Amino acid sequence: MTAKPAAAPRPPRTRARARARSASIAAFVVLAALVPTTASASGTQEVEAELPYVCALPSGQLPATVRVAAEFPARAEVGEAFTPSGVTTTVELPEEAVADLAGHGAAGVRAATRLEVGVAQNAATARATWRGDAEPVELPESGPLTLVARGDVPSVAGRGDGNLTFSAGSLAIDLVLEAADGTATDAATATATADSGTRPGSPAVDCTLAEDAPGQGLLATVPVGTGTGAPSGSPSSPGPAGTSGAPDEGQPDGRGDRQRERQSERSPEVLENTPGTAPDRDDAPPCRYDEQHPPTDVSLNAYVTGYANVKKMKGAAYLPPSCVLIEQGVPVPGPPDPDYLIFDTVSYANFHYQERRQTPPFEATFLSFDFTPVKATMVLEQTDTMRIDSRMKMSMTDFSTTTDTYVRAPLVLHVLDLEVNGTPLDVGSECRTETSLMSEDPDPANFPGDHLVLYGRGELLIGQPATGYLLLSGGVLSGEATIPAFTGCGTDGEDLDRLLTASVSGPGNLVKQVQGQTCAIAAPVFPSPTNEGQCTEDLQPYEIPVAEH
């Protein structure tokens, strides 16, 4: 064997370039391996349950089909909180229900669902509410009406060893009916029951689990702790949500009460995803008007924050508090209605960060295949002004008001930095989505083009605080986005567009934003013993909202 001649040493700059090139190629290969496949992540169980329901409609009690899909962990430790992910509730209402809605002048419908889920472990039970929002759909000319609702659900923790079971119970469907011109119609309020808690314009359909439902509505079983199964006497197929599960009623001498008290202490813990702690003001970007952006008599400013899911990565990105400058429109009379006084308002808004129409940079870290970290630094950049359409409807009978608000925002996602398994990957300075994030617009004829659509509904009863979303007081806005393909990603001849597109782009990404109380610049409200603060002394928003899952 002959020895190979030693390679001539490279100049320092050449070696540095070679190392950078090697690191880039290594990161490229790692990223390619992270492109998700159709296989489920390790340690999870995918659930798809099809259940029969009976729904109360104007035509009477009609059968309906409800399909629930979600991902649960394969196992959990005692006290370990987990959140079912990818929860989708699909409701298929029969053709008779379509005729009911069409008979009231509706051409389309929006829906929100509330599914009661019973959570049981051994003999103890708890209850959770799974809420979802459905995209607007047109009423079919024939056949059933299908509503697909998605949303976040509460976390759950088992208190001891034994199987943790989840069972579907009653289902409520809140409907907003739309006429052919896209406006809401209130003729179907007869479907709302007197005790449903809904307001005019928001009819509700109440559904109960059919008696012959398989497994009494059982959705999933998650083993908790060291035990291999539920102890004897525990409900392997628990009843629908709302059943007590207590086996000791009627026991003398108060033993039943003591038993129930002990069971309550061991009940599964349902953790509503309540807001966390608001960030310090020092951590929020400045939010004030200046010489380049002078205020007017209708100028408002507010902070917004929230989460945006990245479906392919099975995770969510936290959007930090961002400043929004708003020019509130003047209300104008809406379409005539004998039962309501209607006003429409069009407002406009822009993000405001370092004189740019964008959010502050934010980081998101995802674990692809549950073990390899991918960290990205991104911003959302406006390509045009955001438009805010609000329709307020005041009932002429009880003077209650409902306000439906749509925010249409043309936003591209700009990737600033990318790191895969600790290795930086140079994406360049122009790595972004080809177009704006896209949503299905409920009124595409009047609002064409690519943009994100967020929706919120607010209600106000005389003598009570406002609930839901209102432009002035803020609240939760939600929607669903398609992330477009990426362009301009990569340097030195390396094209990373297809890798990022395969890893991130696609439909079904839920967005949930929380807007805080606005500060009205022309008439500021400062904190006092009798008033909650709306503005700081230098006319910034007093409230910094907290993101909600």
Side-chain angles (χ1 to χ4, degrees):
M1 181 175 7
T2 58
K4 293 183 179 180
R10 294 174 177 171
R13 180 174 297 181
T14 304
R15 289 200 300 269
R17 287 179 177 172
R19 285 195 298 269
R21 179 75 175 178
S22 298
S24 180
I25 292 175
F28 187 99
V29 172
V30 172
L31 183 61
L34 295 179
V35 176
T37 66
T38 57
S40 62
S42 175
T44 63
Q45 52 174 317
E46 296 182 358
V47 172
E48 291 187 8
E50 182 171 308
L51 301 170
Y53 273 77
V54 178
C55 297
L57 291 153
S59 300
Q61 301 286 326
L62 296 177
T65 300
V66 177
R67 292 184 291 274
V68 181
E71 290 186 2
F72 293 81
R75 297 191 64 86
E77 298 299 327
V78 175
E80 175 189 359
F82 62 87
T83 308
S85 62
V87 176
T88 302
T89 303
T90 302
V91 182
E92 189 175 283
L93 296 175
E95 191 169 7
E96 295 89 337
V98 179
D100 286 339
L101 301 178
H104 290 296
V109 63
R110 297 194 310 271
T113 59
R114 302 190 308 276
L115 177 65
E116 296 297 321
V117 175
V119 186
Q121 187 180 39
N122 302 329
T125 62
R127 182 182 299 180
T129 301
W130 288 8
R131 302 177 186 273
D133 293 304
E135 292 292 316
V137 296
E138 295 182 358
L139 295 184
E141 295 182 359
S142 62
L145 170 65
T146 301
L147 304 170
V148 181
R150 298 180 177 87
D152 296 315
V153 302
S155 301
V156 176
R159 296 292 189 89
D161 293 338
N163 286 341
L164 196 62
T165 58
F166 295 78
S167 300
S170 61
L171 172 69
I173 310 169
D174 297 326
L175 300 175
V176 176
L177 308 185
E178 294 184 339
D181 60 359
T183 61
T185 173
D186 297 295
T189 53
T191 61
T193 59
D195 59 351
S196 66
T198 61
R199 303 307 308 161
S202 179
V205 176
D206 294 321
C207 304
T208 56
L209 188 70
E211 294 182 356
D212 59 348
Q216 293 183 287
L218 180 65
L219 298 175
T221 300
V222 179
V224 175
T226 58
T228 57
S232 176
S234 64
S236 58
S237 297
T243 57
S244 68
D248 55 357
E249 295 181 6
Q251 291 191 27
D253 304 325
R255 284 182 294 168
D257 292 338
R258 290 193 296 271
Q259 177 77 0
R260 283 190 292 272
E261 183 177 351
R262 289 193 297 269
Q263 289 173 354
S264 177
E265 293 173 353
R266 298 193 304 271
S267 294
E269 187 176 9
V270 177
L271 308 171
E272 295 290 343
N273 291 319
T274 54
T277 303
D280 294 333
R281 184 163 295 275
D282 292 341
D283 296 330
C287 190
R288 62 171 67 90
Y289 288 84
D290 50 32
E291 293 181 358
Q292 288 74 32
H293 302 83
T296 68
D297 291 342
V298 293
S299 291
L300 312 169
N301 52 1
Y303 283 109
V304 296
T305 185
Y307 288 92
N309 283 1
V310 180
K311 184 177 180 181
K312 283 187 175 180
M313 287 291 187
K314 299 181 179 180
Y318 167 65
L319 306 179
S322 302
C323 173
V324 178
L325 305 183
I326 306 168
E327 290 297 299
Q328 186 182 17
V330 177
V332 298
D337 190 301
D339 299 320
Y340 295 91
L341 192 61
I342 301 177
F343 290 96
D344 291 333
T345 305
V346 179
S347 305
Y348 296 93
N350 288 296
F351 282 123
H352 184 60
Y353 177 73
Q354 295 182 353
E355 302 302 325
R356 299 187 183 95
R357 296 193 301 179
Q358 67 175 53
T359 66
F362 56 92
E363 289 186 352
T365 300
F366 304 99
L367 290 178
S368 187
F369 298 129
D370 290 339
F371 66 88
T372 303
V374 178
K375 183 171 72 173
T377 303
M378 301 166 284
V379 295
L380 288 172
E381 299 174 341
Q382 283 180 240
T383 60
D384 204 347
T385 302
M386 291 187 281
R387 175 177 171 132
I388 305 171
D389 289 272
S390 301
R391 169 164 290 183
M392 186 203 75
K393 305 180 69 173
M394 176 183 290
S395 169
M396 302 301 291
T397 55
D398 62 2
F399 302 105
S400 63
T401 64
T402 60
T403 303
D404 293 304
T405 299
Y406 289 92
V407 178
R408 294 175 169 92
L411 299 169
V412 297
L413 181 63
H414 186 175
V415 180
L416 304 178
D417 295 294
L418 188 65
E419 190 175 285
V420 181
N421 203 24
T423 302
L425 183 63
D426 190 356
V427 295
S429 60
E430 299 299 325
C431 181
R432 65 189 69 219
T433 52
E434 290 182 342
T435 62
S436 168
L437 305 182
M438 297 176 288
S439 300
E440 183 177 346
D441 198 295
D443 189 6
N446 289 318
F447 301 100
D450 298 330
H451 50 264
L452 174 68
V453 179
L454 299 177
Y455 168 76
R457 161 168 279 210
E459 298 185 349
L460 181 62
L461 306 180
I462 298 299
Q464 298 185 26
T467 59
Y469 176 83
L470 296 173
L471 178 61
L472 293 180
S473 58
V476 174
L477 292 159
S478 59
E480 184 174 305
T482 294
I483 301 176
F486 283 80
T487 184
C489 304
T491 58
D492 296 332
E494 291 181 339
D495 184 358
L496 305 182
D497 294 343
R498 288 188 296 175
L499 284 174
L500 284 172
T501 298
S503 301
V504 177
S505 301
N509 303 284
L510 299 179
V511 180
K512 187 175 184 180
Q513 296 292 286
V514 182
Q515 178 203 306
Q517 167 72 50
T518 58
C519 168
I521 305 302
V525 177
F526 302 111
S528 71
T530 57
N531 288 317
E532 294 184 4
Q534 297 181 9
C535 305
T536 63
E537 292 296 330
D538 59 349
L539 299 182
Q540 297 193 71
Y542 187 82
E543 180 185 358
I544 302 178
V546 178
E548 298 180 11
H549 284 288

